[in-house]
């Protein structure tokens, strides 16, 4: 018991670890202390001073999020002095804030707005000059609006510590402080990976995705356009949250119904092209393994990871799989194979993807992604954007009947579904590679060694006597750690999966945004991943090479994995990028 201490908070005795903070102790006692800058495990700096408390014997109010507990400590969280301090702090923040709340992207999902309601802010006592603001919308993925920034630094900690990218920081001092890239450059001109984790960390509307909903509405209203849509694996376990369902609720068969009612001509599933990716990437891995190719092979599904590699680790570009992501493979096929199959001019096809990822907006605009003769994917919508479109159209996901995706590009397997969770691409590849190598049926197809929320997972897989060393990393700081080990000769891997976002696509930068309180209460990424594996377990087919639609596309169009047609449409190349090219 020496590692535990007992303290009193608002008259309630609570026993916690001696390493706990007062904020954690209060939570254990059922007492909620308000926070703004705090984000558990990410940003714990006591900067906003919303969490101030009184400590008996103390000379001043103290911030609970960084205040260590001690034996016998007596804490008051709700005294007149504490309440007044919090109100003054909040009013000062509001006095320098863009208060156009009804038109803000975070209206009704804003932590500043919620605290204002909770603390009973009815008027502002401190009107005055507002600091100079910046509006940066040059990035293809992320928009910055510092008129709404509260300087909490949650985005800064996420970018620096979680992602190890560090392209945004506090610039200047005092009243002139602004969170921005170096020299107030645009995010488009710095080595931002477009991952969008800064957006999901932001408590207000200072960061948001580049909105493509107007372009999609226009396409849907154009009688000359044949508008098709693909939905990423992780969307089926996150979109329901936007309609009040529990974290990780599975809405696979509600999505086709909803999207048809929006007006899409065909509703397809990115899981189909995830299966296709496994056929190409699994074959590429075996080719490299058996013929002396560049190893380790590193997955290429995550565009945020690809851009990170191009900027920070260009020496590994030859290791990265040449396979396009499932989004881009689908885009290339829909304007070639599918257009030919149904006899439609590909120039009339407007291809939309619904992704958990803001970096996909950047990816679809890359010059390498026009292999169909057109832009393969015309517009990318995040989970949040498609939710807004459905609500604008009065479509309630919860009241819709179950419907199936359209064929043939809507047929998929459980292997395609698990792409949505960290380790899923690796597991899906191993299911297929094992059976290709051994010519035997794999009895236990669940490679649980590569599942889980650990930042880096390692395993040695025995493929009928062939020992394959694999690693899985999610979050770019973990990717950096793995790559440094490989560079230094400390690890000998054959195959590495890297996803830019913590948790993989289920934790993508375009997913529903949870408040600091919600992120404290539940590991939302773990809940969504559990649902992904449930989807997999319930699928009649669970191996990519068993997908009849994949077999058909090779027989009718592509020929074979790694063949000439596949290389033309489904593979790509990467480029070394400078860190700050405009400063040269």
């Amino acid at each position: 018991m020496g590692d535990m201490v007992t303290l009193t908070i608002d008259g309630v005795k609570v026993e916690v670890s001696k390493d706990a903070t007062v904020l954690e102790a209060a939570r254990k006692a059922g007492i909620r202390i308000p926070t703004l800058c705090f984000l558990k495990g990410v940003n714990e700096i006591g900067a906003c001073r919303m969490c101030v408390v009184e400590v008996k014997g103390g000379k001043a109010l103290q911030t609970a999020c960084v205040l260590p507990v001690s034996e016998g400590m007596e804490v008051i969280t709700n005294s007149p002095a504490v309440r007044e301090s919090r109100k003054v702090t909040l009013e000062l923040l509001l006095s320098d804030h863009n208060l156009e709340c009804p038109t803000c992207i975070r209206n009704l999902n804003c932590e500043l707005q919620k605290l204002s309601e909770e603390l009973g802010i009815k008027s502002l006592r401190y009107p005055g000059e507002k600091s100079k603001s910046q509006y940066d919308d040059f990035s293809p993925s992320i928009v910055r609006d510092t008129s709404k920034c509260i300087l909490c630094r949650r985005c800064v900690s996420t970018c620096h510590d979680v992602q190890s990218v560090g392209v945004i920081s506090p610039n200047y001092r005092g009243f002139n402080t602004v969170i921005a890239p170096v020299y107030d450059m645009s995010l488009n001109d710095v080595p931002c990976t477009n991952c969008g984790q800064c957006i999901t960390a932001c408590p207000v509307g200072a960061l948001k995705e580049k909105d493509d909903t107007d372009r999609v509405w226009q396409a849907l209203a154009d009688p000359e356009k044949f508008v098709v849509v693909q939905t990423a694996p992780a969307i089926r376990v996150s979109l329901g949250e936007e309609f009040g369902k529990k974290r990780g609720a599975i809405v696979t068969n509600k999505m086709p119904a909803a999207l048809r009612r929006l007006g899409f001509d065909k509703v397809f599933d990115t899981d189909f092209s995830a299966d296709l990716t496994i056929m190409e990437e699994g074959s590429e891995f075996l080719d490299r393994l058996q013929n002396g190719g560049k190893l380790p092979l590193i997955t290429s599904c995550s565009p945020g990871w690809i851009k990170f590699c191009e900027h920070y680790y260009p020496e590994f570009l030859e290791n990265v799989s040449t396979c396009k992501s499932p989004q881009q493979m689908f885009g290339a096929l829909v304007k070639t194979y599918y257009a030919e199959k149904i006899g439609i001019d590909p120039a009339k096809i407007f291809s939309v993807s619904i992704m958990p990822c803001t970096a996909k907006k950047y990816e679809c605009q890359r010059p390498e992604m026009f292999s169909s003769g057109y832009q393969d994917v015309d517009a990318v919508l995040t989970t949040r954007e498609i939710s807004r479109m459905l609500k604008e159209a009065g479509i309630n996901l919860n009241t819709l009947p179950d419907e199936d995706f359209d064929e043939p590009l809507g047929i998929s397997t459980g292997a395609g579904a698990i792409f949505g969770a960290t380790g899923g691409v690796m597991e899906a590849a191993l299911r297929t590679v094992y059976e290709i190598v051994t010519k035997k049926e794999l009895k236990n197809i669940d490679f649980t060694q590569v599942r889980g929320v650990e930042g880096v997972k390692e395993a040695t897989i025995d493929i009928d006597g062939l020992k394959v060393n694999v690693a899985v990393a999610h979050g770019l700081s973990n990717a950096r750690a793995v790559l440094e080990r490989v560079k230094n000769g400390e690890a000998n891997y054959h195959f590495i999966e890297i996803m830019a976002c913590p948790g993989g696509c289920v934790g993508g930068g375009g997913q529903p945004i949870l408040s600091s309180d919600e992120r404290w209460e539940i590991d939302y990424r773990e809940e969504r991943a559990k649902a992904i594996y449930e989807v997999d377990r319930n699928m009649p087919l669970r191996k990519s090479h068993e997908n009849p639609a994949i077999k058909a596309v090779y027989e009718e169009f592509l020929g074979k994995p790694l063949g000439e047609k596949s290389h033309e449409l489904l593979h790509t190349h990467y480029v070394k990028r400078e860190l700050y090219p405009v400063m040269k």
Side-chain angles (χ1 to χ4, degrees), residues 462-583:
D462 188 337
I463 303 180
D464 204 24
L466 176 66
K467 306 290 187 181
V468 178
N469 299 325
V470 303
V472 172
H474 59 110
L476 291 173
S477 62
N478 292 317
R480 188 184 290 275
V482 167
L483 295 179
E484 288 296 328
R485 290 192 66 207
V486 174
K487 275 179 66 174
N488 297 333
E490 299 169 9
N492 181 28
Y493 303 120
H494 299 102
F495 196 6
I496 302 173
E497 178 201 303
I498 295 179
M499 290 291 175
C501 294
C505 299
V506 292
Q511 294 280 45
I513 296 175
L514 278 67
S515 69
S516 174
D517 285 346
E518 290 171 309
R519 288 173 66 155
W520 184 308
E521 293 164 3
I522 190 170
D523 188 335
Y524 62 98
R525 291 170 290 214
E526 190 171 352
E527 292 300 310
R528 292 171 186 164
K530 285 179 185 176
I532 283 283
Y533 290 115
E534 183 182 339
V535 170
D536 170 41
R537 284 194 304 273
N538 293 332
M539 293 290 282
L541 298 175
R542 299 181 63 195
K543 304 166 194 170
S544 296
H545 56 285
E546 294 179 344
N547 184 337
I550 294 296
K551 293 177 182 178
V553 77
Y554 279 110
E555 291 170 3
E556 299 171 6
F557 188 69
L558 292 173
K560 63 179 181 178
L562 304 186
E564 183 178 345
K565 198 78 169 177
S566 293
H567 270 294
E568 176 189 344
L569 292 175
L570 308 182
H571 291 255
T572 187
H573 65 276
Y574 313 104
V575 294
K576 177 182 177 181
R577 298 179 189 274
E578 300 294 336
L579 291 179
Y580 289 92
V582 299
M583 295 175 63

Side-chain angles (χ1 to χ4, degrees), residues 96-296:
D96 193 37
H97 191 73
N98 180 338
L99 296 177
E100 297 172 352
C101 298
T103 59
C104 179
I105 198 74
R106 293 292 295 274
N107 186 37
L108 303 182
N109 186 22
C110 169
E111 293 179 49
L112 185 70
Q113 189 182 56
K114 186 170 184 285
L115 272 181
S116 298
E117 179 186 14
E118 290 176 350
L119 297 187
I121 304 298
K122 298 295 189 294
S123 61
L124 298 180
R125 290 177 286 179
Y126 309 108
E129 181 184 359
K130 290 185 182 289
S131 56
K132 186 178 179 181
S133 63
Q134 302 173 356
Y135 190 85
D136 171 18
D137 64 350
F138 293 104
S139 163
S141 300
I142 300 170
V143 177
R144 293 171 48 245
D145 181 358
T146 66
S147 72
K148 299 175 182 178
C149 179
I150 59 172
L151 303 178
C152 69
R153 292 164 172 75
R154 279 162 50 165
C155 61
V156 175
S157 293
T158 299
C159 190
H160 282 252
D161 302 332
V162 177
Q163 297 297 70
S164 74
V165 174
V167 295
I168 48 176
S169 296
N171 291 352
Y172 313 112
R173 301 180 69 181
F175 187 66
N176 296 319
T177 302
V178 63
I179 306 298
V182 63
Y183 300 128
D184 294 336
M185 296 166 71
S186 167
L187 282 176
N188 198 47
D189 297 327
V190 298
C192 171
T193 64
N194 298 295
C195 72
Q197 288 300 305
C198 57
I199 300 174
T200 61
C202 182
V204 291
L207 291 159
K208 61 182 179 180
E209 69 270 33
K210 181 70 76 70
D211 194 317
D212 284 309
T213 57
D214 283 346
R215 292 179 56 226
V216 176
W217 280 125
Q218 289 170 12
L220 290 170
D222 187 343
E224 296 298 313
K225 295 289 187 187
F226 187 81
V227 189
V228 302
V229 63
Q230 55 168 308
T231 64
I235 304 300
R236 70 207 62 219
V237 298
S238 60
L239 181 58
E241 297 173 22
E242 293 283 294
F243 292 85
K245 288 185 175 291
K246 68 176 183 178
R247 307 293 169 210
I250 299 170
V251 295
T252 308
N253 295 107
K254 301 295 183 186
M255 295 190 300
L259 296 170
R260 289 189 183 105
R261 282 155 179 74
L262 268 185
F264 287 99
D265 293 295
K266 291 293 178 180
V267 182
F268 295 127
D269 195 350
T270 315
D271 288 19
F272 163 84
S273 46
D275 284 333
L276 185 64
T277 300
I278 289 303
M279 297 303 297
E280 294 293 325
E281 195 167 75
S283 299
E284 182 183 16
F285 173 62
L286 285 176
D287 180 63
R288 293 195 190 194
L289 191 65
Q290 296 169 347
N291 299 312
K294 190 77 170 178
L295 293 174

Side-chain angles (χ1 to χ4, degrees), residues 24 32 40 55 58 74 86-87 94 209 213 267 272 278 296 316 358 367 409 425 437 443 498 507 577:
E24 291 170 320
R32 179 180 172 274
K40 187 179 180 182
V55 179
E74 295 183 35
R86 290 174 184 166
K87 284 189 175 184
L94 291 169
E209 69 270 33
T213 57
V267 182
F272 163 84
I278 289 303
F316 281 97
T358 52
L409 308 187
V425 178
V437 170
K443 300 300 182 185
I498 295 179
R577 298 179 189 274

